[in-house]
């Protein structure tokens, strides 16, 4: 599966993936298309802050800590709002909750509320892919920069990839140091997704036979943070919630390299988290879609991100 995935998606390495529209865990994409995210301060002491919402397969005291839900519920009550989902982001010290979009007058009132840090859309993001059949070793300058800055074959470096799931049972990945975490919940088909497998394989595979895949940095410590799901049409899907959770975890990892093979609308939450990574010295590689408007080129538009 790994070799097939790489052969059919050679544009993935450190920058690419399948073009798609995202979705959410418990709601359809249609149900979230007009949602609004409210961001408030996380009122808990920093040592009690956790970085994951319920239902995402992560160890968390979230469900047993009613303080955050009381704060969001109070705001929802005041404005007669319907909360769709909510989650804290430890590294930003904030709590976020998505609501069904109210009237313009109610939104304006919420925006003036001193309890609110900011409002933003609930955005969707598309994994990107290079449709050319050029070799993965010569497809972009980002790879050249990577090879030049770190000792081959990637010893003593940590690489994080935010993508779809990975087939960790693949023979060429069984001996890698890959660690996986799921921030996309049950959406998609984790057992059948091949995009993340292709990306991680190109980076971290150790060939099991003479015909196996030889990754570019097989000795690197690799982390796959599943922030996107892949549907039955092999389309990867990500959104503000899943990417925020994955990026929050990436800040904790403090990787040398972060790969984001996706693009979409500028998103303040994600920009803030990406800024933390860049400030900590992480090299961020991103996809770039020239067909999109400038304000729809997250994360490539942020200063310091390497893209192609």
């Amino acid at each position: 599966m790994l070799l097939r995935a790489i052969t059919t998606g050679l544009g993935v390495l450190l920058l690419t993936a399948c073009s798609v529209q995202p979705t959410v865990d418990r709601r359809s994409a249609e149900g979230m298309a007009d949602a609004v995210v409210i961001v408030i301060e996380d009122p808990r002491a920093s040592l009690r802050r956790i970085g994951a919402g319920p239902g995402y397969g992560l160890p968390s005291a979230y469900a047993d800590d009613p303080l955050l839900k009381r704060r969001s519920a109070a705001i929802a009550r005041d404005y007669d709002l319907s909360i769709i989902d909510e989650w804290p982001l430890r590294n930003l010290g904030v709590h976020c909750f998505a609501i069904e979009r109210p009237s313009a007058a109610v939104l304006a009132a919420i925006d003036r509320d001193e309890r609110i840090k900011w409002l933003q859309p609930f955005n969707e993001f598309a994994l990107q892919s290079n449709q050319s059949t050029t070799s993965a070793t010569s497809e972009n300058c980002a790879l050249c920069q990577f090879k030049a800055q770190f000792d081959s074959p990637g010893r003593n470096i940590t690489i994080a990839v935010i993508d779809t799931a990975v087939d960790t049972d693949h023979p060429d990945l069984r001996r890698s140091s890959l660690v996986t975490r799921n921030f996309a919940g049950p959406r998609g088909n984790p057992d059948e997704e091949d995009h993340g497998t292709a990306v991680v394989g190109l980076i971290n595979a150790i060939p099991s036979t003479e015909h196996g895949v030889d990754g570019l940095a097989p000795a690197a410590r690799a982390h796959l943070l599943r922030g996107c799901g892949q549907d039955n049409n092999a389309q990867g899907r990500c959104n503000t919630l899943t990417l925020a959770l994955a990026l929050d975890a990436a800040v904790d990892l403090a990787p040398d390299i972060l790969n984001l093979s996706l693009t979409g609308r500028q998103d303040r939450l994600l920009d803030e988290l990406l800024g933390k990574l860049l400030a900590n010295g992480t090299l961020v590689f991103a996809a770039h879609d020239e067909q999109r408007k400038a304000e729809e080129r997250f994360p490539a538009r942020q200063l310091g991100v390497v893209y192609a």
Side-chain angles (χ1 to χ4, degrees), residues 24-67:
V24 296
D25 194 10
R26 292 181 290 282
R27 296 293 181 104
S28 67
E30 292 76 14
M32 293 296 290
D34 204 31
V36 175
V37 177
I38 297 177
V39 181
I40 63 175
E41 292 279 358
D42 184 339
R44 301 169 300 173
S46 60
L47 290 179
R48 294 180 62 216
R49 288 177 184 156
I50 41 83
Y56 289 86
L58 302 167
S60 167
Y62 186 96
D64 300 321
D65 189 347
L67 179 56

Coordinates of all heavy atoms in Angstrom, one line a residue, residues 24-67:
V24 N -16.6 17.6 10.3 CA -16.4 17.6 11.8 C -16.8 16.3 12.3 O -17.3 15.4 11.6 CB -17.2 18.7 12.5 CG1 -16.7 20.1 12.0 CG2 -18.7 18.5 12.2
D25 N -16.5 16.1 13.6 CA -16.7 14.8 14.3 C -18.2 14.4 14.4 O -18.6 13.3 13.9 CB -16.1 14.8 15.7 CG -15.9 13.4 16.2 OD1 -16.1 12.5 15.5 OD2 -15.6 13.4 17.4
R26 N -19.0 15.2 15.0 CA -20.4 14.8 15.2 C -21.4 15.5 14.3 O -22.6 15.2 14.4 CB -20.7 15.0 16.7 CG -19.9 14.1 17.7 CD -20.3 14.4 19.1 NE -19.8 15.6 19.6 CZ -18.6 15.8 19.9 NH1 -17.7 14.9 19.9 NH2 -18.2 17.0 20.4
R27 N -20.9 16.4 13.5 CA -21.8 17.1 12.6 C -21.3 16.9 11.2 O -20.1 16.8 10.9 CB -21.8 18.6 13.0 CG -22.4 18.9 14.4 CD -23.9 18.6 14.4 NE -24.4 18.9 15.7 CZ -25.2 19.9 16.0 NH1 -25.5 20.8 15.0 NH2 -25.6 20.1 17.2
S28 N -22.2 17.0 10.2 CA -21.9 17.0 8.8 C -21.2 18.3 8.5 O -21.3 19.3 9.1 CB -23.1 16.8 8.0 OG -23.9 18.0 8.0
A29 N -20.5 18.3 7.3 CA -19.8 19.5 6.8 C -20.9 20.6 6.6 O -20.6 21.7 6.9 CB -19.1 19.2 5.5
E30 N -22.0 20.2 6.2 CA -23.1 21.2 5.9 C -23.5 21.8 7.3 O -23.8 23.0 7.3 CB -24.3 20.5 5.3 CG -24.1 20.0 3.8 CD -23.2 18.8 3.7 OE1 -23.1 18.1 4.8 OE2 -22.8 18.4 2.7
G31 N -23.5 21.0 8.3 CA -24.0 21.5 9.6 C -23.0 22.5 10.2 O -23.3 23.3 11.1
M32 N -21.7 22.5 9.8 CA -20.7 23.3 10.3 C -20.3 24.5 9.4 O -19.5 25.3 9.7 CB -19.5 22.5 10.7 CG -19.7 21.5 11.8 SD -20.0 22.3 13.4 CE -18.4 23.1 13.7
A33 N -20.9 24.5 8.2 CA -20.4 25.4 7.2 C -20.6 26.8 7.6 O -19.8 27.7 7.2 CB -21.2 25.2 5.9
D34 N -21.6 27.1 8.4 CA -21.8 28.5 8.8 C -21.6 28.7 10.3 O -22.1 29.7 10.9 CB -23.3 28.9 8.5 CG -23.4 30.4 8.3 OD1 -22.4 31.1 7.9 OD2 -24.5 30.9 8.6
A35 N -20.8 27.8 11.0 CA -20.6 27.9 12.4 C -19.6 29.1 12.7 O -18.8 29.5 11.9 CB -20.0 26.6 12.9
V36 N -19.7 29.5 13.9 CA -18.8 30.6 14.4 C -18.1 30.0 15.7 O -18.6 29.3 16.5 CB -19.6 31.8 14.8 CG1 -18.7 32.9 15.5 CG2 -20.3 32.4 13.6
V37 N -16.8 30.4 15.8 CA -16.0 30.0 17.0 C -15.9 31.1 17.9 O -15.4 32.2 17.5 CB -14.6 29.4 16.5 CG1 -13.8 29.1 17.8 CG2 -14.7 28.2 15.6
I38 N -16.2 30.9 19.2 CA -16.0 31.9 20.2 C -14.8 31.5 21.0 O -14.7 30.3 21.5 CB -17.2 32.0 21.1 CG1 -18.4 32.5 20.3 CG2 -17.0 33.0 22.3 CD1 -19.7 32.6 21.1
V39 N -13.9 32.4 21.3 CA -12.6 32.1 22.0 C -12.7 32.9 23.3 O -12.8 34.2 23.3 CB -11.4 32.5 21.2 CG1 -10.1 32.1 22.0 CG2 -11.4 31.7 19.9
I40 N -12.5 32.3 24.4 CA -12.5 32.9 25.7 C -11.2 32.5 26.5 O -10.5 31.5 26.1 CB -13.7 32.6 26.6 CG1 -13.8 31.1 26.9 CG2 -15.0 33.0 25.9 CD1 -14.9 30.7 27.8
E41 N -10.8 33.2 27.5 CA -9.7 32.8 28.4 C -10.0 31.4 29.0 O -11.2 31.2 29.5 CB -9.4 33.8 29.5 CG -8.9 35.2 28.9 CD -7.4 35.1 28.6 OE1 -6.8 34.1 28.9 OE2 -6.9 36.1 28.2
D42 N -9.0 30.6 29.1 CA -9.2 29.4 29.9 C -9.0 29.8 31.4 O -7.9 30.2 31.8 CB -8.1 28.4 29.5 CG -8.2 27.0 30.2 OD1 -8.9 27.0 31.3 OD2 -7.7 26.0 29.7
P43 N -10.0 29.7 32.2 CA -9.9 30.2 33.6 C -9.2 29.3 34.5 O -8.9 29.7 35.7 CB -11.4 30.3 34.0 CG -12.1 29.2 33.2 CD -11.4 29.1 31.9
R44 N -8.8 28.2 34.1 CA -8.1 27.3 35.0 C -6.6 27.6 35.2 O -6.0 28.2 34.3 CB -8.2 25.8 34.5 CG -9.6 25.4 34.4 CD -9.7 24.1 33.6 NE -9.2 24.2 32.3 CZ -9.0 23.2 31.4 NH1 -9.3 22.0 31.8 NH2 -8.5 23.4 30.2
A45 N -6.0 27.2 36.3 CA -4.6 27.4 36.5 C -3.9 26.6 35.4 O -4.3 25.6 34.9 CB -4.2 26.8 37.9
S46 N -2.7 27.1 35.0 CA -2.0 26.5 33.9 C -1.7 25.1 34.0 O -1.7 24.3 33.1 CB -0.7 27.3 33.6 OG 0.2 27.2 34.8
L47 N -1.4 24.6 35.3 CA -1.1 23.2 35.5 C -2.3 22.3 35.3 O -2.2 21.1 35.1 CB -0.6 23.0 36.9 CG 0.8 23.6 37.2 CD1 1.2 23.3 38.6 CD2 1.9 23.0 36.2
R48 N -3.5 22.9 35.3 CA -4.7 22.1 35.1 C -5.2 22.1 33.7 O -6.1 21.4 33.3 CB -5.8 22.6 36.0 CG -5.5 22.4 37.5 CD -6.7 22.9 38.3 NE -7.9 22.2 38.0 CZ -9.2 22.7 38.0 NH1 -9.3 24.0 38.2 NH2 -10.2 22.0 37.7
R49 N -4.6 23.0 32.9 CA -5.0 23.1 31.5 C -4.7 21.8 30.7 O -3.6 21.3 30.9 CB -4.4 24.3 30.8 CG -4.9 25.6 31.3 CD -4.2 26.7 30.6 NE -4.7 28.0 31.1 CZ -4.0 29.1 31.1 NH1 -2.8 29.1 30.6 NH2 -4.5 30.2 31.6
I50 N -5.6 21.4 29.9 CA -5.3 20.2 29.0 C -5.6 20.6 27.6 O -6.3 21.6 27.3 CB -6.2 19.0 29.5 CG1 -7.6 19.4 29.9 CG2 -5.6 18.3 30.7 CD1 -8.5 19.5 28.7
G51 N -5.2 19.8 26.6 CA -5.2 20.2 25.3 C -6.1 19.4 24.4 O -5.7 19.2 23.2
A52 N -7.2 18.8 24.8 CA -8.0 18.0 23.9 C -9.5 18.0 24.4 O -9.8 18.0 25.6 CB -7.5 16.6 23.9
G53 N -10.3 18.0 23.4 CA -11.8 17.9 23.7 C -12.3 16.5 23.8 O -11.5 15.6 23.6
P54 N -13.5 16.3 24.2 CA -14.1 15.0 24.4 C -14.3 14.3 23.0 O -14.5 14.9 22.0 CB -15.4 15.3 25.1 CG -15.8 16.6 24.6 CD -14.5 17.4 24.5
G55 N -14.2 13.0 23.1 CA -14.5 12.2 21.8 C -13.4 12.1 20.9 O -13.6 11.6 19.7
Y56 N -12.2 12.4 21.2 CA -11.1 12.4 20.3 C -10.0 11.4 20.7 O -8.9 11.4 20.2 CB -10.4 13.8 20.1 CG -11.4 14.7 19.4 CD1 -12.4 15.4 20.0 CD2 -11.4 14.8 18.0 CE1 -13.3 16.2 19.3 CE2 -12.3 15.6 17.3 CZ -13.2 16.2 18.0 OH -14.2 17.0 17.3
G57 N -10.3 10.4 21.5 CA -9.5 9.3 21.8 C -8.2 9.7 22.5 O -7.2 9.1 22.4
L58 N -8.2 10.8 23.3 CA -7.0 11.3 24.0 C -7.2 11.2 25.5 O -8.3 11.5 26.0 CB -6.7 12.7 23.6 CG -6.5 12.9 22.1 CD1 -6.5 14.4 21.8 CD2 -5.2 12.3 21.7
P59 N -6.2 10.9 26.3 CA -6.3 11.0 27.7 C -6.6 12.4 28.2 O -5.8 13.3 27.9 CB -5.0 10.4 28.2 CG -4.0 10.7 27.1 CD -4.8 10.5 25.9
S60 N -7.7 12.6 28.9 CA -8.0 14.0 29.2 C -9.0 14.0 30.4 O -9.8 13.2 30.5 CB -8.7 14.7 28.0 OG -9.3 15.9 28.4
A61 N -8.8 15.0 31.2 CA -9.7 15.2 32.3 C -10.8 16.2 32.0 O -11.6 16.7 32.8 CB -9.0 15.8 33.5
Y62 N -10.9 16.5 30.7 CA -11.9 17.5 30.2 C -13.3 17.2 30.7 O -14.0 18.1 31.2 CB -11.9 17.5 28.7 CG -12.7 18.6 28.1 CD1 -12.1 19.8 27.7 CD2 -14.1 18.4 27.9 CE1 -12.9 20.8 27.1 CE2 -14.9 19.4 27.3 CZ -14.3 20.6 26.9 OH -15.0 21.6 26.4
A63 N -13.8 16.0 30.5 CA -15.2 15.7 30.8 C -15.4 15.8 32.3 O -16.6 16.0 32.8 CB -15.5 14.3 30.3
D64 N -14.4 15.7 33.2 CA -14.5 15.7 34.6 C -14.3 17.1 35.2 O -14.3 17.3 36.4 CB -13.6 14.7 35.3 CG -13.9 13.3 34.8 OD1 -15.0 12.9 34.7 OD2 -12.9 12.6 34.6
D65 N -14.0 18.1 34.3 CA -13.7 19.4 34.7 C -14.8 20.3 34.2 O -14.8 20.8 33.1 CB -12.4 19.9 34.2 CG -11.9 21.2 34.7 OD1 -12.7 21.9 35.4 OD2 -10.7 21.5 34.6
P66 N -15.8 20.6 35.1 CA -17.0 21.4 34.6 C -16.8 22.9 34.5 O -17.7 23.5 33.9 CB -18.0 21.1 35.7 CG -17.2 20.9 37.0 CD -15.9 20.2 36.5
L67 N -15.7 23.4 34.9 CA -15.5 24.8 34.9 C -15.6 25.4 33.5 O -16.3 26.4 33.3 CB -14.1 25.2 35.5 CG -13.8 26.7 35.6 CD1 -14.9 27.5 36.3 CD2 -12.4 26.9 36.2

